[in-house]
Amino acid sequence: MKKKTLIQIMLHLFLIFSLVIVVLPMVYMVSTSLKPNGALYEYPPRFLPGLEEITIENYLYILGQGKFYINFLNSLMVAGCAVLLAALISSALGYVIARFAFPGRNFLFSFIVLTMIIPGLTLIIPQYQLAVKLKTINSLTGLIPFYTAWTIPYSTFMIKGFVENIPKELDEATYMDGGGVLTVFGRIIIPLAKPGIASVSIFNFLTAWEEFPWANTVINDNLKRTIPIAISGFFGQHQFTQWGYVFALSVFSLVPILMVFIFCQKFFVAGLTSGGVKG
Amino acid sequence: MQTSKKGKFQIGLLLLPGLLIFGIFTVYPIIKLFLMSFFEWDFGNIADQKFIGLKNYRNVLSDRYFRIAFTNTIIYTFVTVPGQMIFGFLTAFLINQITRFKVGYRVLYYLPVITSWVIASLVFKYVFNTEGLLNYFLVHILHVTSQNIRWLDTRWSGLWIAMFLGIWKGIGWNMVVFLAALQTVPADLYEAAAIDGANAFKKLFNVTLPCIKGTILFALVMLTIGGFNVFTSVKMITGGEPGHQTDVVLTWMYHKAFSTGAFGYSAALSFIITVVLAIMAIIQFRMMQQKD
């Protein structure tokens, strides 16, 4: 018994030690955002501000800027729409591919999975030209179909796995009652695959919320920027970077992600571990 | 069961939005990219593109800067993939042994994963800046060097920072994935091994690792793809500087496409990367299957 307790304590000590290293950069970010925004680089640099120095002026500055709210809403709107669209579309695809032997099914599914290998950014040139053609350059809503399309392969792959675990008898019972394909989709598949759809959607939200290269390439207008572009703009615009502002804005941008993550923890883990990993 | 006419129509209705969005925004760009890679296609001559066969591919493969970027990408992948897996597995292994606060550790270790690349890159850039915290610590507190080290200004230190960031950000994901896998290993296997007199190491290598082989392969393939996808961190931390020495394939591709307008070149480069990645994924699958 004694030995067991000792081992537990050792394990905890080890975990805490490495945890400190892991969270150090995050703590430094928060601590910098709470320091007065003075010189380019403070000298001597300190890990934590002195107690009497702690200030929320950086946060107040960000909150006092009208464009902060716009950037924030932009991100919410784009990520929210993309997530909803991807959830609907991928559920439909996942359902049909899992249940019906239509011609080209195997080809379609293999192709969707294969596109996951292609590094997303390599398509940026033809996608840029496409955006020019569709007149969605510098358009906020123009981001949505691209984000949706990028998240479809992974989402479809995962949701198909979840659908396959739903007993087929439930479909058949619905058909017996005179229901059609759409009835099964709405009454059986969506409710029962909900945990899977939720976990995929959390992932997609994270992807869309933090997406940087594409939005940075197609959006020029200050007021159309999403949060990551706003952060990097703060960083690049001036000759010297006001780190206090950068990190205060960063902390704000982490809030929605943290909330989603904490409230949906259960789904999050479920999504990571089922589907892809069997065996 | 025979699907009725109405059923077929409804199936089509469900497929249509997905096929449209996926077709227009992913498949069409893939085809377009493939075609572009065989044409002389630059900013200057958008109106008339000349078919030049494999010339773009030859240009890419013989380009000194591409070779640097490709080498950097390979190094990045070969360092960060095992790095993330080993630290992630060890963390999961430890968390799996403890009896209390499991969820707390899991949430905290996961924090870097949900931090966006832009933010994480800026924090690292701030820490590793020449006038930053790390140098102060090394020079004035540990006294290991007398001068501030210019971390961001040389190829290897710049790359190391990006790799360090990649490992730091990926540990949490691996931890969650391996933790779930460890929980599926049947307890009676450990008991049987203990009866046979196996020590902790033997249990790890003869019971645990073979049981979670599927997960290892899954992580390996996903992380390799992730390694080739590295972009934002390098772009924000070093921007490829000095003189494209720290560029990875995607930052180099982006530079060629949007700073010099060499679309044909970039298209060929994109295809080369995709093919390399596909080959690596196939090799990884083969290797894992052979070990059966």
Side-chain angles (χ1 to χ4, degrees):
Chain A
M1 188 61 209
K2 263 265 165 71
K3 195 187 162 201
K4 258 191 181 162
T5 325
L6 197 70
I7 291 179
Q8 284 290 321
I9 292 171
M10 295 282 289
L11 288 171
H12 278 286
L13 282 179
F14 209 82
L15 279 169
I16 291 169
F17 175 73
S18 49
L19 186 64
V20 168
I21 298 174
V22 166
V23 294
L24 220 56
M26 315 289 290
V27 175
Y28 192 43
M29 173 183 82
V30 176
S31 101
T32 307
S33 74
L34 291 170
K35 287 179 198 164
N37 201 1
L40 176 61
Y41 282 95
E42 58 167 0
Y43 197 87
R46 274 162 315 154
F47 187 69
L48 295 170
L51 261 183
E52 71 292 343
E53 266 188 299
I54 291 181
T55 168
I56 53 166
E57 65 172 41
N58 296 317
Y59 290 90
L60 293 178
Y61 174 83
I62 298 291
L63 288 175
Q65 291 215 316
K67 71 176 186 220
F68 162 71
Y69 301 94
I70 297 171
N71 293 149
F72 203 85
L73 287 177
N74 287 347
S75 273
L76 265 187
M77 195 272 285
V78 170
C81 290
V83 165
L84 276 180
L85 269 177
L88 255 174
I89 289 173
S90 310
S91 306
L93 281 181
Y95 163 52
V96 172
I97 292 172
R99 286 290 204 257
F100 303 102
F102 60 91
R105 170 170 79 162
N106 288 336
F107 174 77
L108 178 67
F109 185 64
S110 320
F111 193 76
I112 287 176
V113 172
L114 270 179
T115 56
M116 284 199 278
I117 290 186
I118 303 175
L121 201 68
T122 57
L123 297 178
I124 199 165
I125 304 164
Q127 281 175 336
Y128 188 84
Q129 293 173 329
L130 182 65
V132 170
K133 249 183 240 167
L134 298 173
K135 300 202 179 3
T136 58
I137 291 292
N138 206 16
S139 140
L140 202 55
T141 43
L143 294 175
I144 297 168
F146 286 97
Y147 288 172
T148 307
W150 293 343
T151 49
I152 283 178
Y154 171 76
S155 311
T156 306
F157 174 69
M158 296 297 281
I159 294 173
K160 174 186 170 268
F162 281 103
V163 172
E164 278 167 349
N165 288 334
I166 300 171
K168 260 190 173 162
E169 289 74 29
L170 294 175
D171 296 24
E172 262 133 46
T174 313
Y175 291 133
M176 292 297 186
D177 292 342
V181 173
L182 289 177
T183 333
V184 172
F185 181 58
R187 294 224 188 116
I188 308 284
I189 301 298
I190 293 217
L192 288 180
K194 221 192 246 159
I197 299 170
S199 79
V200 164
S201 298
I202 298 167
F203 219 78
N204 293 345
F205 184 78
L206 192 63
T207 308
W209 182 263
E210 75 147 327
E211 200 283 331
F212 173 70
W214 175 250
N216 192 39
T217 308
V218 290
I219 304 284
N220 312 311
D221 203 330
N222 232 331
L223 293 181
K224 287 179 184 163
R225 284 174 165 174
T226 52
I227 284 279
I229 315 307
I231 295 175
S232 84
F234 242 121
F235 165 73
Q237 233 168 31
H238 318 284
Q239 276 302 309
F240 57 94
T241 304
Q242 288 166 309
W243 291 99
Y245 297 157
V246 169
F247 290 141
L249 183 55
S250 301
V251 171
F252 276 129
S253 87
L254 283 175
V255 171
I257 292 294
L258 273 176
M259 273 166 40
V260 167
F261 177 63
I262 289 167
F263 288 121
C264 311
Q265 236 236 98
K266 188 177 67 181
F267 296 130
F268 206 84
V269 177
L272 275 176
T273 50
S274 51
V277 198
K278 277 177 192 158
Chain B
M1 200 176 90
Q2 198 64 36
T3 314
S4 66
K5 220 174 188 176
K6 192 176 152 214
K8 278 183 186 153
F9 174 74
Q10 292 186 333
I11 291 173
L13 210 63
L14 286 173
L15 278 174
L16 192 66
L19 293 182
L20 269 180
I21 297 257
F22 186 64
I24 294 172
F25 295 96
T26 302
V27 181
Y28 166 74
I30 293 175
I31 297 168
K32 182 86 182 282
L33 187 75
F34 188 60
L35 293 177
M36 281 174 87
S37 69
F38 299 105
F39 283 83
E40 191 178 300
W41 200 314
D42 297 314
F43 243 171
N45 60 348
I46 294 222
D48 73 311
Q49 295 102 14
K50 244 187 355 228
F51 179 82
I52 51 171
L54 292 172
K55 192 154 174 268
N56 283 325
Y57 287 87
R58 276 202 298 273
N59 286 343
V60 173
L61 292 174
S62 61
D63 185 344
R64 195 168 75 84
Y65 290 110
F66 169 73
R67 286 184 190 172
I68 294 175
F70 187 77
T71 314
N72 288 347
T73 307
I74 293 285
I75 293 171
Y76 180 92
T77 307
F78 275 75
V79 171
T80 58
V81 172
Q84 292 173 73
M85 285 175 78
I86 290 168
F87 285 118
F89 177 79
L90 284 179
T91 313
F93 193 71
L94 293 183
I95 292 179
N96 199 37
Q97 312 281 325
I98 60 173
T99 44
R100 299 176 73 179
F101 307 120
K102 276 190 186 193
V103 175
Y105 283 120
R106 209 169 60 188
V107 169
L108 289 171
Y109 271 105
Y110 208 76
L111 275 180
V113 185
I114 56 173
T115 309
S116 73
W117 281 100
V118 169
I119 296 174
S121 308
L122 289 175
V123 175
F124 272 64
K125 195 178 169 94
Y126 188 59
V127 172
F128 284 95
N129 205 286
T130 311
E131 275 84 43
L133 186 70
L134 184 74
N135 271 334
Y136 182 78
F137 190 68
L138 292 179
V139 174
H140 295 280
I141 296 183
L142 291 184
H143 300 289
V144 279
T145 75
S146 57
Q147 249 181 339
N148 284 355
I149 300 168
R150 304 184 68 85
W151 297 105
L152 302 168
D153 294 348
T154 74
R155 179 178 180 187
W156 297 114
S157 60
L159 263 183
W160 269 108
I161 295 167
M163 292 194 279
F164 186 38
L165 167 56
I167 294 174
W168 173 78
K169 207 172 175 313
I171 291 175
W173 185 85
N174 285 274
M175 180 261 310
V176 170
V177 169
F178 282 122
L179 198 54
L182 286 174
Q183 280 155 5
T184 65
V185 181
D188 46 334
L189 284 184
Y190 289 119
E191 282 157 26
I195 290 167
D196 290 346
N199 57 24
F201 266 102
K202 279 211 166 126
K203 278 189 207 162
L204 175 65
F205 283 101
N206 295 336
V207 179
T208 314
L209 292 181
C211 279
I212 60 165
K213 222 176 60 180
T215 306
I216 297 174
L217 175 65
F218 171 71
L220 195 63
V221 174
M222 295 303 277
L223 296 177
T224 304
I225 294 174
F228 271 70
N229 267 292
V230 61
F231 175 81
T232 305
S233 58
V234 173
K235 176 118 177 127
M236 304 223 51
I237 292 175
T238 68
E241 296 302 315
H244 299 295
Q245 293 291 305
T246 57
D247 261 322
V248 284
V249 280
L250 288 185
T251 56
W252 175 244
M253 187 277 291
Y254 193 89
H255 167 79
K256 284 300 272 187
F258 291 99
S259 300
T260 71
F263 287 175
Y265 174 101
S266 304
L269 194 162
S270 297
F271 258 91
I272 293 170
I273 304 165
T274 304
V275 169
V276 171
L277 202 47
I279 292 172
M280 287 184 68
I282 293 169
I283 293 174
Q284 286 168 345
F285 270 106
R286 284 276 157 80
M287 267 167 47
M288 292 302 277
Q289 272 166 355
Q290 265 174 12
K291 279 194 182 157
D292 258 335

